Amino acid sequence: MTLAEPRTFAVPQERKVVTALPGPNSLALQARRVAAVSRGAGTLANIYMDHGAGAILVDVDGNQLIDLGCGIGVTTIGHAHPAVQAAVAEQAGKLTHTLFTVTPYENYVKVAEKLAEITPGDFEKHSVLVNSGAEAVENAAKIARRYTGRRALVVLDHAFHGRTNMTMAMTYRPWPEREGMGPFPGEIYSVPISYPFRDGLTGEEAAERTIDYIETHIGPREVAAFFAEPIQGDGGIVIPAPGYFARIAQYCRDNGIVFVADEIQAGIARTGAWYSIEHHGVVPDLVTSAKGIAGGMPLAAVTGRAEIMDAVQPGGIGGTFGGNPVSTAAALAVFDLIEREDLIGEAQRVERALVARIGGWAAKYDTVGEVRGKGAMFGVELVEPGTRKPNPALLKHVLKYATEHGVIPLDAGSWDSVLRLLPSVVISDALIDDAAGVLEEAIESFQGVGEAGITPAS
């Protein structure tokens, strides 16, 4: 059975707003939160959730909201999937922890075996399991440095790689993640990316610009690794032009540079392939996985060429909770669901539905510069009317309007001007249509835009 066929969810798959949002119970929890939680852990919408299923979240006031964020790409298979619940409960009843590097267990090995199967490339691969995307990226950097004997790391403009000290240094945007948090590690260099909407370059032209920067500012013999999100998430769903990564990967091979595909957000079936680098026809040396890998349980991984992964001495990588038995059990259930329910095909269905429903917005609204995406990962670039100038005020308005009307989208982009949509791949076409209608109302109601911000469809 695929999800294109009828399926029963524990929560009806429909939007239902029964109170003002946030509701009274959420407001009470927010008061408690202000008194107890660091303000640094800010939130998009102070609407407190109680439970969920599929593509619907239910808050503490009984409102049903369409989730277009999935906890920033985590619940790709939907909320509270029964198969993941069962796997977690069964494993928790058997063994919750021993630490794999002290007394190992089979789940860890099985996840590594599956990652070797699904990541791109027909060669021997090994993996290490850790807790979070940032930890995976940081370990990939350590492994590449150990393998090459070099120090420099190259990252792309508009990248987001995490919130640890090293990965903040690898992240492009200073606010809010990096401001006041330094000093940061050295030997990390940001280079220009292919951003078709803003640079107008072909993939090959953009790649030559990137390579020229490496040649003139760093020197390829100093570079241990080139880190790239094949589809940038926080950066604004930036998808480099065709040919860009093929040229970059060849340059890395020619110069002994480890090419790392950071698939923390775009990997694990979200974009209509196991990994988004597949859309570019490129095989990386290392791949990082997290977010959607375990259905909401904390787990991440670095997977890659065995000779690179094994360059690290025993004890050089690992951690207390990495590859936890319960999290790995959840991951094995997720892998099984993706294959058994053809969730890669469902991601492709979601893409078709989104293109059909919102793909024409750039022609309809002169405040929409571009709609772009793959699978269940889309971005809407918001601009000042008739220009390419970023429009963060419109994004702020759209987010506020949407959350007040029972839809949870995300922000993105270096200028805070890209509406990011990361729905579950189990979201129905009807929910996509309903959510898109709310987002259209938000765009059309933006104060100061009026008729000037809406171009009638031809």
Side-chain angles (χ1 to χ4, degrees):
M1 183 187 80
T2 69
L3 292 175
E5 302 170 9
R7 177 179 173 181
T8 301
F9 292 91
V11 174
Q13 298 296 284
E14 61 184 11
R15 179 170 61 100
K16 184 170 68 174
V17 179
V18 297
T19 73
L21 287 168
N25 291 328
S26 281
L27 292 173
L29 280 168
Q30 176 64 10
R32 290 168 55 190
R33 174 250 180 86
V34 169
V37 179
S38 168
R39 76 184 186 104
T43 52
L44 174 71
N46 295 317
I47 303 169
Y48 287 73
M49 299 305 161
D50 181 74
H51 62 282
I56 293 292
L57 284 168
V58 183
D59 75 1
V60 291
D61 291 287
N63 297 290
Q64 294 186 186
L65 298 94
I66 302 174
D67 185 10
L68 299 183
C70 283
I72 313 188
V74 172
T75 55
T76 303
I77 63 167
H79 290 286
H81 196 290
V84 175
Q85 292 181 44
V88 167
E90 180 183 2
Q91 182 58 51
K94 293 168 57 179
L95 182 71
T96 58
H97 180 76
T98 70
L99 178 53
F100 185 78
T101 56
V102 175
T103 50
Y105 38 88
E106 186 180 13
N107 278 1
Y108 191 116
V109 177
K110 290 172 74 173
V111 169
E113 289 172 337
K114 191 64 180 180
L115 288 167
E117 176 188 328
I118 65 176
T119 49
D122 185 19
F123 43 77
E124 184 181 0
K125 302 170 199 159
H126 292 170
S127 291
V128 62
L129 305 184
V130 292
N131 301 294
S132 68
E135 193 177 346
V137 170
E138 192 151 331
N139 274 277
K142 290 163 56 180
I143 292 164
R145 283 172 163 170
R146 187 72 175 87
Y147 176 72
T148 62
R150 304 173 182 178
R151 296 183 178 181
L153 305 176
V154 170
V155 296
L156 290 168
D157 288 353
H158 312 295
F160 181 90
H161 292 294
R163 286 185 173 88
T164 63
N165 189 257
M166 173 180 277
T167 56
M168 278 194 294
M170 299 170 70
T171 291
Y172 179 75
R173 190 172 67 171
W175 175 266
E177 293 85 8
R178 290 195 291 123
E179 184 166 302
M181 299 291 187
F184 299 113
E187 297 293 334
I188 297 172
Y189 301 89
S190 186
V191 302
I193 190 179
S194 168
Y195 193 154
F197 177 73
R198 297 209 166 272
D199 62 31
L201 301 176
T202 67
E204 291 79 7
E205 291 168 341
E208 292 307 321
R209 180 179 62 177
T210 301
I211 289 167
D212 180 69
Y213 194 100
I214 295 172
E215 293 279 344
T216 58
H217 289 69
I218 310 162
R221 288 184 296 277
E222 300 294 325
V223 179
F226 185 107
F227 281 79
E229 299 161 276
I231 299 177
Q232 290 185 329
D234 287 63
I237 317 299
V238 178
I239 306 175
Y244 176 78
F245 280 126
R247 177 69 183 97
I248 293 298
Q250 183 61 56
Y251 178 78
C252 289
R253 285 192 295 271
D254 292 344
N255 289 277
I257 299 168
V258 176
F259 184 91
V260 184
D262 181 352
E263 296 274 7
I264 302 304
Q265 190 167 135
I268 314 294
R270 172 155 292 280
T271 66
W274 275 112
Y275 290 93
S276 64
I277 193 67
E278 297 175 54
H279 298 299
H280 299 280
V282 170
V283 175
D285 298 307
L286 300 180
V287 177
T288 60
S289 306
K291 289 191 181 289
I293 195 171
M297 298 297 291
L299 186 69
V302 186
T303 304
R305 295 181 183 274
E307 65 272 20
I308 299 176
M309 295 295 297
D310 289 351
V312 180
Q313 65 278 14
I317 51 178
T320 300
F321 297 106
N324 170 269
V326 178
S327 292
T328 48
L332 293 171
V334 168
F335 293 144
D336 177 66
L337 285 166
I338 290 171
E339 293 179 332
R340 180 160 48 86
E341 298 189 350
D342 186 24
L343 298 189
I344 289 176
E346 289 303 298
Q348 295 166 1
R349 173 192 60 81
V350 171
E351 178 181 340
R352 293 191 296 271
L354 284 168
V355 169
R357 187 60 179 82
I358 72 173
W361 280 2
K364 183 177 181 180
Y365 302 111
D366 64 6
T367 50
V368 173
E370 185 177 56
V371 177
R372 53 182 179 259
K374 296 292 293 183
M377 186 174 189
F378 267 68
V380 180
E381 182 118 11
L382 302 176
V383 294
E384 297 288 348
T387 74
R388 291 178 184 259
K389 182 179 178 182
N391 195 338
L394 175 54
L395 177 61
K396 184 177 181 180
H397 170 79
V398 170
L399 293 173
K400 183 176 185 294
Y401 185 99
T403 56
E404 288 175 348
H405 289 79
V407 176
I408 307 294
L410 298 170
D411 57 346
S414 294
W415 298 278
D416 291 315
S417 58
V418 177
L419 179 67
R420 179 171 34 159
L421 310 178
L422 300 177
S424 165
V425 300
V426 306
I427 191 171
S428 68
D429 291 5
L431 282 181
I432 289 172
D433 180 62
D434 186 18
V438 171
L439 296 175
E440 286 177 325
E441 292 172 5
I443 293 170
E444 293 169 5
S445 66
F446 180 54
Q447 184 177 0
V449 173
E451 293 181 0
I454 306 172
T455 302
S458 58

